[in-house]
Amino acid sequence: MKSLTRNYLKIGILGGGQLGWMMILEGRKYPFTFYVLDDPNTPGCRIADKCFPPEKYKEMIDEVDVVTFEFEHVLDKALEYAQEKEKLFPGINSVELKRERYKEKLYYKEHNLPTPRFLVAEDGEEALKILKEEFNGIGVLKESLGGYDGKGQYFIKGDVNKYENLKSKKVKFVVEEFVNFNYEASIIAMRDKNGNFKAYPPTFNYNEKGILVYNYGPLHDNRFEEIAKRLADSLNYVGTMGIEFFVRDGEILINEFAPRVHNTGHYTLDSAYISQFEQHIRAITGIELGSTELLTFGGMVNILGTDDVPPEVLRYGKVYWYGKPDVKKRRKMGHVNVIGKDLEEVKQKIDIIMKLIYKQGLDL
């Protein structure tokens, strides 16, 4: 890319959710045009230069210079067409691993990336059998197709007979050991077209029923970055990715990765010199990756299933409201970013914000 001001690139985004919305907001720093493929009422479409309905994916892809996605479960035909046109970043190989969980887990195993012990079952009946015989009835059953934010997952602790209804499911399952972890963590990493790699420090995450509630950081452990680099290099990845881990007695295990900007990286909008969203735009357009230096300790609280956010929250954090039309249980309506002079201050602010937003407790 020779000149920022002479290259008015058109960037196509598959999916118009909040991740695409923030990608566009951060990308407005550059002389780029943003097209989105999704419903016109989505957050991303509302601020895009042009919005296309899903059936017009070829028209959008033909018009733009580069295509990316804000969610891996978007229209397969659009991903495949963008890949065919050599415009898709990251490549479709990273998405294919997410189409079915077992492919992702096998990829970790084949590339010697640390992950919990697992076996693949052809259907629900075999999954329950494997759980009983190989895991002593204690483990996690994960439906292979789709699934995110805890969907399609069953945590079973010896009460296998209660899940007899799963025998009727004729889909592949991943049967995984139950990891008695000390904590969950994640890292946001990025890699450009020339193979240059960078990462933000890892963060501590608190999840409930498979969905992120809040996180904070930085944590300091170079092993997270080393694992992230091995994964990104093996995929010849271009863009930002999020990787979630279990930490068990000092052992680091990959739970899953997301081939896109990630919920656990929202804090970078206020705590970092350059956000995860801008890094993604830089990577896919050929601009040099920026600094991953954190300017302050930081964190984030998700606003889940409610639009009742008291103004007192603004005393402790910065609100990002996605503008979704309907409030639904577990739906991410927005988030609150928090900064502080140390981790203790950030944690204290998060605790106050949680009590202000979820007065009756978190209901997921």
Side-chain angles (χ1 to χ4, degrees):
M1 188 167 187
K2 296 179 180 179
S3 169
L4 282 176
T5 56
R6 293 177 187 171
N7 288 272
Y8 293 90
L9 294 178
K10 293 179 180 177
I11 299 173
I13 302 174
L14 306 180
Q18 66 267 14
L19 297 176
W21 175 72
M22 286 180 272
M23 202 185 296
I24 294 171
L25 289 176
E26 286 291 280
R28 292 296 185 199
K29 300 171 184 176
Y30 300 99
F32 300 150
T33 301
F34 291 91
Y35 293 175
V36 170
L37 188 77
D38 210 336
D39 183 276
N41 292 320
T42 55
C45 267
R46 291 199 336 268
I47 64 168
D49 295 284
K50 194 172 181 180
C51 185
F52 294 75
E55 64 270 17
K56 293 190 176 182
Y57 68 92
K58 286 188 177 180
E59 181 182 334
M60 187 199 85
I61 291 167
D62 287 341
E63 283 193 31
V64 300
D65 300 293
V66 62
V67 179
T68 191
F69 47 92
E70 59 101 43
F71 187 52
E72 54 269 33
H73 300 292
V74 294
L75 188 66
D76 285 347
K77 289 181 179 179
L79 288 166
E80 291 160 3
Y81 187 67
Q83 181 76 22
E84 179 187 324
K85 294 292 183 179
E86 299 183 347
K87 294 182 178 182
L88 185 67
F89 298 99
I92 202 167
N93 63 325
S94 63
V95 184
E96 287 172 342
L97 295 182
K98 301 300 296 184
R99 285 175 173 167
E100 292 202 61
R101 293 179 194 269
Y102 85 92
K103 293 180 180 179
E104 178 181 357
K105 302 299 287 188
L106 288 174
Y107 189 87
Y108 298 150
K109 187 175 182 179
E110 290 163 1
H111 289 80
N112 295 314
L113 294 163
T115 196
R117 179 181 170 234
F118 72 94
L119 291 169
V120 179
E122 291 300 316
D123 54 32
E125 185 172 4
E126 186 182 6
L128 290 170
K129 184 178 182 219
I130 290 173
L131 185 70
K132 288 178 181 178
E133 295 179 356
E134 302 291 335
F135 295 88
N136 298 317
I138 300 173
V140 186
L141 302 190
K142 299 179 179 180
E143 292 182 30
S144 190
L145 280 172
Y148 59 95
D149 285 346
K151 298 173 183 176
Q153 298 185 35
Y154 309 90
F155 294 83
I156 303 175
K157 299 181 180 179
D159 51 347
V160 180
N161 293 333
K162 293 181 181 179
Y163 293 86
E164 289 291 306
N165 62 307
L166 294 181
K167 287 185 176 181
S168 63
K169 289 187 175 284
K170 304 302 180 185
V171 296
K172 275 189 167 71
F173 276 80
V174 171
V175 186
E176 190 173 285
E177 69 170 308
F178 178 80
V179 180
N180 187 20
F181 54 80
N182 300 98
Y183 63 92
E184 294 175 271
S186 65
I187 194 168
I188 303 298
M190 60 286 311
R191 185 177 182 276
D192 68 16
K193 295 178 180 180
N194 296 317
N196 298 307
F197 174 90
K198 290 192 176 185
Y200 297 98
T203 59
F204 171 93
N205 303 334
Y206 174 70
N207 296 280
E208 195 164 308
K209 295 184 180 178
I211 191 167
L212 181 71
V213 179
Y214 61 78
N215 74 320
Y216 54 79
L219 306 179
H220 297 288
D221 190 328
N222 292 333
R223 292 179 298 165
F224 290 97
E225 184 172 336
E226 291 167 3
I227 294 169
K229 186 176 190 305
R230 284 166 53 198
L231 176 59
D233 286 344
S234 71
L235 290 166
N236 195 25
Y237 193 86
V238 176
T240 294
M241 69 160 61
I243 310 173
E244 296 179 283
F245 300 89
F246 297 129
V247 181
R248 177 178 61 188
D249 298 330
E251 180 186 23
I252 297 173
L253 301 168
I254 300 177
N255 178 26
E256 62 177 346
F257 89 103
R260 52 172 169 79
V261 289
H262 195 255
N263 198 183
T264 60
H266 291 354
Y267 77 97
T268 62
L269 286 164
D270 294 288
S271 298
Y273 183 66
I274 295 172
S275 76
Q276 65 160 341
F277 302 98
E278 182 179 342
Q279 298 279 24
H280 185 72
I281 295 296
R282 286 182 176 221
I284 67 173
T285 59
I287 301 175
E288 182 179 353
L289 295 176
S291 169
T292 52
E293 177 187 359
L294 297 186
L295 304 177
T296 180
F297 292 86
M300 184 277 305
V301 178
N302 265 330
I303 302 172
L304 301 166
T306 181
D307 60 359
D308 183 13
V309 180
E312 290 84 358
V313 166
L314 295 174
R315 298 175 188 169
Y316 307 98
K318 183 177 177 181
V319 174
Y320 291 79
W321 192 251
Y322 306 150
K324 295 180 180 179
D326 302 309
V327 179
K328 295 180 182 179
K329 190 171 182 176
R330 293 170 60 89
R331 172 170 278 184
K332 296 169 184 171
M333 303 302 297
H335 74 269
V336 186
N337 273 357
V338 174
I339 61 172
K341 65 180 181 299
D342 53 35
L343 276 183
E344 193 56 40
E345 182 181 357
V346 171
K347 288 157 69 174
Q348 288 175 0
K349 288 180 177 179
I350 286 174
D351 185 55
I352 293 170
I353 290 168
M354 286 290 296
K355 289 174 182 175
L356 286 170
I357 295 176
Y358 305 109
K359 302 180 186 68
Q360 308 302 319
L362 191 62
D363 180 22
L364 298 178

